[in-house]
Amino acid sequence: MILLLCLLSRSAGAQQPAGGDRARIQSLLAAEDARGKGADGTSPIVSGLENNDTLIRRLAVRAVGRLQRPDLAKRLVPMLTDRIPQIRAEVAIAMSQALRDVKRGAVENDSTRLNVRTAFRALSGAIRTESDDSVAGVIAEAMGRLPLGDTAAGHSAEQAILDRAGSRANFGMAHGLYWLGLARRVTGGLSPSGDSLLRRTARASNDPAVRRIAVLALTAAGALDSGTVMAASRDRDPQVRRLALAGVATLGTASRATLVRRAFADPSPSVRIDAVRAARVGSEPPDCALIERAVRDATSYVALMAIDALGSPCADSLAAREALRKAMTVPSPDRAPDHAWQRAAHALVALSRVDSANVDQPVARFARSTRWAERVYAATAAGNTGDAETLTALARDSNENVHEAAVTNLARTRKHEADSVYIDALASGGNQVLLAAAEALKGSTNPAALPGILDGFDRVSARRSENARDPRLAMLERIDEMGTPKDSARLIPYLADFDTTVAAKAATLLSRWTGSDVAARPMPLTRPDEPLAELLFARNILLRVTMAASSGGGSFTIRLFPDEAPATAARL
């Protein structure tokens, strides 16, 4: 249970727009929030693209990208020459966003829509003529994100970025090469010139963020070499040192051991966390001595990572098991009492993977814990040991997190032998339990499965909660799998569901069952009128989250960014 307390404060520095402009901004933001399906459709967004006001124009461009509508995005191409640099950058981002769902290599002949070829041609021309280096970087990133379909297009995009970058890349240019590196299976990866530019940037840039993205890009491109790894491992920025560990496989045995040993002694916990992963690279099974030592690290996150890693084979399995047993029994050094249980719980799960025959007693102890989180770990450990009795008992737990863990692990170990447990779980009020149960019933032949799913689907749908989309879609998958045309009457009401995705899925299913086209006619939930334009100019909006005692207590504060996401800020 979580108790939320919203704290709102605003500084006097935000310039409020005039009344007319504020009304236009409000309608534009509302149209974006409604995904262009509100009373005004996309008209406020389209008209905003031609508005003389810089802010309105920029918000309209951003909205086009967020709607991911290639038909609207075709209007953006001429705006790559807008006189305002921020708008030119926003246009590049929106063009790549609008094409996000286009499949690589897809051929589109509709001239009314933005396609990949048109976007690439426009962006590659813009990067050559762009006068602002930071905007050129954004254009480079947008080019890299395009769903380019072959090596010729990938190499052309890379060359356009290299021509603009010269001897050293800025953040956006390195980021563009990173996206091209990620797509190397389709686009052929980077050329030696691209690799060389990233290596120089990783070593010589004065900006740590640029050095980080350069190392990431080399990793994505499969070009992180030993020289760059060693140089980055000594970088003054801890994140660069951490990222360097992704390349330990490029080093010889002695150099790798030296780098990993140094990483375990690094003052930054983030580096030590990745040192645990790096220590397992190389021989199989690895020498886990450094990992065993890290189980006693003063930083909990490092210790937990080390404990989890010992759940995989080690060269000295006896020593690894002993380290895990100590972690379960030796008092935790954590100063926060609410965290003191974590090391033992992680050790239980890790030990259940490598010594499953000797964890029955600790599993039983954790399963009886008054702390629900410990019971979740007991369910995971019981899944590793195949302890169906414990899992069946935990599947009756009143805590939904425990219930979900038990169902998930029963499905993993007992599969359809436990179908009756999954069917009972369909009566749960927890979305995560419903999702786990629906997925566990995939392929079931139990005659009670379909009635249980149909009833569960009706119950969760009656709550009219947008957060229930995942379990509802999973249930529809099972209905599709198990149902027959005689079940059509149960689904017809959902053609008018409040969730457009659920309505579309119901229509597709009914069309197949009936052999005729059935159209969805969703009726989205009525959204309250939120002061989006007012929130856009707000400052210092803070959300204080106070945890209930049953969740461990404590509180933390979240800073919201209404200028980036006014609708989300309004709902929170």
Side-chain angles (χ1 to χ4, degrees):
M1 181 179 178
I2 302 176
L3 184 65
L4 301 179
L5 175 63
C6 206
L7 305 178
L8 178 65
S9 64
R10 297 176 188 163
S11 68
Q15 181 73 36
Q16 291 286 338
D21 284 347
R22 183 160 53 193
R24 291 189 189 93
I25 291 172
Q26 175 67 29
S27 63
L28 192 163
L29 294 174
E32 177 193 325
D33 184 42
R35 301 297 183 265
K37 299 183 184 300
D40 296 328
T42 60
S43 296
I45 297 172
V46 173
S47 62
L49 296 174
E50 300 175 353
N51 198 287
N52 290 327
D53 184 89
T54 299
L55 174 61
I56 293 176
R57 213 157 62 250
R58 183 175 68 82
L59 291 174
V61 170
R62 186 175 75 177
V64 169
R66 290 178 173 180
L67 293 185
Q68 296 180 20
R69 292 266 301 269
D71 55 330
L72 295 180
K74 184 73 181 288
R75 300 169 181 267
L76 298 180
V77 175
M79 298 182 70
L80 282 168
T81 60
D82 194 282
R83 61 186 177 82
I84 304 299
Q86 294 94 326
I87 292 180
R88 298 197 298 273
E90 200 75 64
V91 167
I93 294 170
M95 287 173 65
S96 64
Q97 268 188 308
L99 297 170
R100 180 178 176 182
D101 290 336
V102 174
K103 292 184 178 179
R104 291 187 182 274
V107 177
E108 287 197 30
N109 297 317
D110 188 347
S111 61
T112 66
R113 296 163 56 90
L114 182 69
N115 57 46
V116 176
R117 181 179 300 177
T118 301
F120 174 70
R121 190 182 302 120
L123 291 171
S124 60
I127 198 172
R128 286 195 299 269
T129 59
E130 177 55 55
S131 59
D132 187 305
D133 280 346
S134 63
V135 176
V138 175
I139 295 172
E141 181 183 349
M143 289 175 62
R145 289 178 62 189
L146 290 176
L148 303 173
D150 53 40
T151 55
H155 291 158
S156 295
E158 180 193 8
Q159 193 58 54
I161 295 173
L162 295 180
D163 289 344
R164 180 56 196 254
S167 62
R168 192 175 303 170
N170 65 16
F171 183 87
M173 294 166 190
H175 209 169
L177 295 175
Y178 164 77
W179 286 111
L180 291 174
L182 282 181
R184 59 185 166 135
R185 291 184 179 179
V186 177
T187 60
L190 301 181
S191 67
S193 296
D195 294 341
S196 178
L197 173 64
L198 288 170
R199 287 168 185 152
R200 288 196 304 273
T201 302
R203 294 178 184 228
S205 175
N206 293 324
D207 186 341
V210 176
R211 299 198 301 277
R212 294 172 195 167
I213 194 64
V215 174
L216 272 173
L218 286 167
T219 303
L224 186 57
D225 61 302
S226 59
T228 305
V229 168
M230 294 305 293
S233 71
R234 297 185 179 90
D235 196 279
R236 59 188 178 278
D237 178 67
Q239 290 303 315
V240 176
R241 299 197 301 273
R242 178 184 70 82
L243 293 169
L245 292 169
V248 293
T250 66
L251 305 178
T253 303
S255 296
R256 182 167 62 242
T258 299
L259 189 152
V260 171
R261 192 161 45 249
R262 189 167 70 237
F264 271 106
D266 197 283
S268 169
S270 65
V271 178
R272 301 200 302 277
I273 286 173
D274 274 41
V276 174
R277 296 190 186 97
R280 299 199 68 93
V281 174
S283 58
E284 287 292 339
D287 178 356
C288 294
L290 290 172
I291 301 175
E292 292 159 12
R293 221 169 290 154
V295 168
R296 302 187 295 276
D297 195 282
T299 300
S300 292
Y301 299 113
V302 180
L304 296 178
M305 179 66 74
I307 290 169
D308 292 344
L310 293 179
S312 297
C314 293
D316 187 346
S317 59
L318 293 177
R321 293 175 189 176
E322 183 59 26
L324 290 173
R325 291 190 187 94
K326 285 184 178 178
M328 273 203 301
T329 56
V330 175
S332 171
D334 289 302
R335 295 179 180 177
D338 292 332
H339 295 172
W341 61 272
Q342 294 177 341
R343 299 194 191 204
H346 280 250
L348 171 66
V349 171
L351 196 59
S352 71
R353 294 194 186 105
V354 295
D355 192 16
S356 60
N358 295 302
V359 292
D360 289 349
Q361 289 185 351
V363 166
R365 186 174 73 251
F366 272 72
R368 294 191 301 269
S369 172
T370 57
R371 187 188 297 273
W372 66 262
E374 290 185 310
R375 301 199 300 277
V376 167
Y377 279 83
T380 304
N384 292 337
T385 63
D387 183 352
E389 182 179 352
T390 295
L391 288 172
T392 302
L394 290 173
R396 296 190 292 269
D397 199 283
S398 60
N399 183 277
E400 291 165 357
N401 297 304
V402 180
H403 196 169
E404 176 205 9
V407 168
T408 299
N409 282 283
L410 271 174
R412 177 165 65 94
T413 57
R414 286 294 182 265
K415 297 183 170 49
H416 293 300
E417 293 177 22
D419 275 358
S420 61
V421 176
Y422 317 144
I423 293 168
D424 289 344
L426 293 169
S428 170
N431 289 337
Q432 71 271 47
V433 179
L434 295 172
L435 177 59
E439 291 178 340
L441 286 167
K442 182 177 181 178
S444 174
T445 58
N446 190 309
L450 179 60
I453 290 170
L454 286 166
D455 291 344
F457 185 72
D458 287 340
R459 275 193 300 272
V460 68
S461 298
R463 299 205 302 254
R464 296 176 65 78
S465 169
E466 292 178 317
N467 291 338
R469 172 181 287 180
D470 287 346
R472 294 177 75 213
L473 289 177
M475 289 179 178
L476 280 175
E477 290 287 346
R478 298 292 79 75
I479 294 169
D480 188 4
E481 174 188 317
M482 303 173 184
T484 64
K486 66 181 178 61
D487 300 305
S488 297
R490 295 288 295 268
L491 293 187
I492 288 174
Y494 296 103
L495 293 171
D497 197 83
F498 64 90
D499 188 315
T500 56
T501 304
V502 170
K505 176 66 177 176
T508 299
L509 201 163
L510 287 168
S511 295
R512 188 163 57 254
W513 279 355
T514 63
S516 58
D517 289 337
V518 177
R521 41 182 198 282
M523 299 180 65
L525 297 175
T526 301
R527 299 187 183 280
D529 292 331
E530 304 283 5
L532 303 179
E534 181 181 351
L535 279 168
L536 186 74
F537 295 91
R539 296 291 183 271
N540 299 328
I541 297 185
L542 306 176
L543 183 71
R544 184 173 184 179
V545 181
T546 301
M547 305 297 292
S550 59
S551 297
S555 65
F556 56 92
T557 302
I558 302 171
R559 179 187 172 195
L560 304 182
F561 294 90
D563 54 331
E564 293 292 332
T568 299
R571 291 197 178 91
L572 285 172

